[in-house]
Amino acid sequence: MVKSNIIEFSIFTPSKSVFLTSTASRPAELPQDLVAAIAELKQAKQAVILAHYYQDPAIQDVADFIGDSLELSRQAAQTEAEVILFAGVHFMAETAKILNPDRTVLLPDLSAGCSLADSCPPEAFAQFRACYPDHFVVSYINCSAAVKAMSDLICTSANAVSLIQQIPPEQPILFAPDQNLGRYVMAHTGRPMVLWPGSCIVHETFSERQLWALKAQHPAAEVIAHPECEAPVLALADFIGSTSRLLSHVQTSPSTTFIVVTEPGIIHQMHKHAPHKQFIPAPAQNGCLCNECPYMRLNTLEKVYQALRDGRPALTLPETVMIAARVPIQRMLDWSRPAAPLPPVLAS
Ligand code: 13P
Ligand code: SF4
């Protein structure tokens, strides 16, 4: 493990949105068959539904595309649909809007935030960044549009290692906001990085002790984990990857039982793609449902229907923020193209 230059910068704002109730009012009437009604609306409005793997199974099942953050960004960049309904959280819909400023991007519940994005307030991040003027700023996509606008490069959990490897070795790097992913990337690239001390409440709920107990109960099971988990938990994992990588791994691995250390929404697709295998969700520390992302759960099939029907809630962002944030997002998409030549890196 590379020794990091971690700055203690104790500005952590617990998520505001987790305690909020839905911003969407309940429709007076809902159709009997919501799935059919959503399909009709999609056609009538020329809409596409992009859904993250952490969404409820019912939402995943009406989506045109299900993916991890990187794949969803790629889909958002490519789609020709007039309306993009993003079944995910706010930063994901923001990314779609930044890539499609002239299209309507709907988020079924606007209060579906992200504790990791909330752990990096833009004003505090601006001060932090100013302490490292010569550093290349790499931000995990789980951050606000305002933080993206202050970044040189965006990454996701699927491409973080390969993108960091493309940065010239002499270039110092500041990585935000997830310190757990940052440490994982440092360990796999040998690159020291200054880390913003943010984290995800869902992935930090998994404990080493409970994982040991689960492993003892299921000795043949393979432990698969998302890199947002803390280092002691990752140390117990047999395989670490983004949600998409975890999904493809369970299909190719000879193992038949997996302990899944990430948000359990992904297990819906695991069951579909590897129906004869067993998936055990890693429990939260105190037996609560804290291993489920409370923000992702704010979206429901009813709200998906309502958003498509009414054309709201729609994402809006200041033009200046979108212009600035598009640069590091586009850079990520360009650098992540397998066949693309490596671009020169300039710290801004
Ligand atoms: P992925 O990059 O695997 O989609 O992860 C997104 C996320 O929010 C994990 O908590
Ligand atoms: Fe954010 Fe964590 Fe939920 Fe992912 S699981 S959306 S990082 S709060």
Side-chain angles (χ1 to χ4, degrees):
M1 169 79 77
V2 174
K3 216 172 162 10
S4 71
N5 178 13
I6 299 170
I7 302 294
E8 289 303 326
F9 205 77
S10 56
I11 298 175
F12 181 90
T13 49
S15 171
K16 294 163 237 98
S17 44
V18 67
F19 300 113
L20 296 179
T21 50
S22 163
T23 52
S25 57
R26 276 196 76 77
E29 288 169 17
L30 285 174
Q32 281 290 332
D33 187 344
L34 269 179
V35 173
I38 287 170
E40 271 172 37
L41 280 171
K42 259 194 329 190
Q43 213 173 11
K45 309 253 172 151
Q46 295 184 48
V48 67
I49 299 182
L50 307 182
H52 191 268
Y53 290 122
Y54 293 165
Q55 288 289 276
D56 276 343
I59 296 180
Q60 293 186 34
D61 289 347
V62 296
D64 297 291
F65 186 83
I66 313 160
D68 69 3
S69 303
L70 178 61
E71 293 164 340
L72 292 171
S73 304
R74 285 194 175 124
Q75 287 294 324
Q78 286 165 14
T79 187
E80 290 183 356
E82 284 303 313
V83 175
I84 301 168
L85 184 136
F86 213 113
V89 292
H90 205 276
F91 75 83
M92 296 176 177
E94 279 183 350
T95 306
K97 181 67 183 174
I98 291 163
L99 291 167
N100 297 280
D102 300 327
R103 308 229 175 118
T104 300
V105 176
L106 304 171
L107 182 62
D109 192 320
L110 273 190
S111 56
C114 167
S115 62
L116 183 48
D118 287 350
S119 74
C120 190
E123 307 74 26
F125 184 67
Q127 288 173 29
F128 184 73
R129 181 184 181 274
C131 300
Y132 302 95
D134 60 338
H135 282 51
F136 191 74
V137 179
V138 182
S139 294
Y140 186 35
I141 199 163
N142 299 38
C143 64
S144 65
V147 168
K148 288 186 176 77
M150 289 183 255
S151 307
D152 297 303
L153 176 66
I154 300 303
C155 71
T156 73
S157 58
N159 62 18
V161 167
S162 71
L163 292 182
I164 296 287
Q165 283 169 337
Q166 295 180 42
I167 299 172
E170 65 281 6
Q171 172 65 62
I173 301 170
L174 186 161
F175 188 88
D178 188 9
Q179 57 184 322
N180 294 317
L181 178 63
R183 288 198 188 94
Y184 171 80
V185 170
M186 286 197 294
H188 283 77
T189 60
R191 296 292 295 268
M193 301 193 295
V194 172
L195 301 180
W196 173 269
S199 57
C200 156
I201 53 165
V202 177
H203 287 86
E204 288 210 328
T205 198
F206 302 115
S207 86
E208 195 189 350
R209 196 170 60 84
Q210 288 207 304
L211 205 48
W212 274 117
L214 210 51
K215 273 166 75 80
Q217 279 172 38
H218 305 275
E222 219 186 304
V223 176
I224 59 171
H226 194 280
E228 283 179 26
C229 297
E230 292 176 306
V233 168
L234 292 181
L236 295 181
D238 301 299
F239 183 84
I240 299 168
S242 74
T243 43
S244 282
R245 295 239 170 104
L246 297 182
L247 180 58
S248 55
H249 179 74
V250 300
Q251 295 168 68
T252 53
S253 165
S255 301
T256 53
T257 309
F258 299 87
I259 296 170
V260 182
V261 195
T262 190
E263 217 277 355
I266 182 72
I267 293 177
H268 181 55
Q269 294 302 323
M270 289 178 173
H271 279 306
K272 283 192 172 188
H273 286 86
H276 306 302
K277 298 193 176 183
Q278 190 193 359
F279 304 102
I280 303 158
Q285 304 213 29
N286 51 10
C288 62
L289 288 178
C290 320
N291 59 344
E292 292 188 7
C293 176
Y295 312 93
M296 291 278 181
R297 295 287 164 271
L298 287 174
N299 294 328
T300 61
L301 204 57
E302 288 78 7
K303 290 179 198 171
V304 169
Y305 165 76
Q306 188 183 10
L308 279 176
R309 184 195 64 190
D310 301 343
R312 65 186 169 84
L315 262 282
T316 53
L317 284 167
E319 187 69 24
T320 48
V321 172
M322 285 203 283
I323 290 169
R326 198 172 299 128
V327 175
I329 296 172
Q330 190 55 52
R331 193 173 275 154
M332 168 186 79
L333 295 173
D334 293 344
W335 290 22
S336 316
R337 277 193 197 112
L342 296 188
V345 177
L346 297 171
S348 58

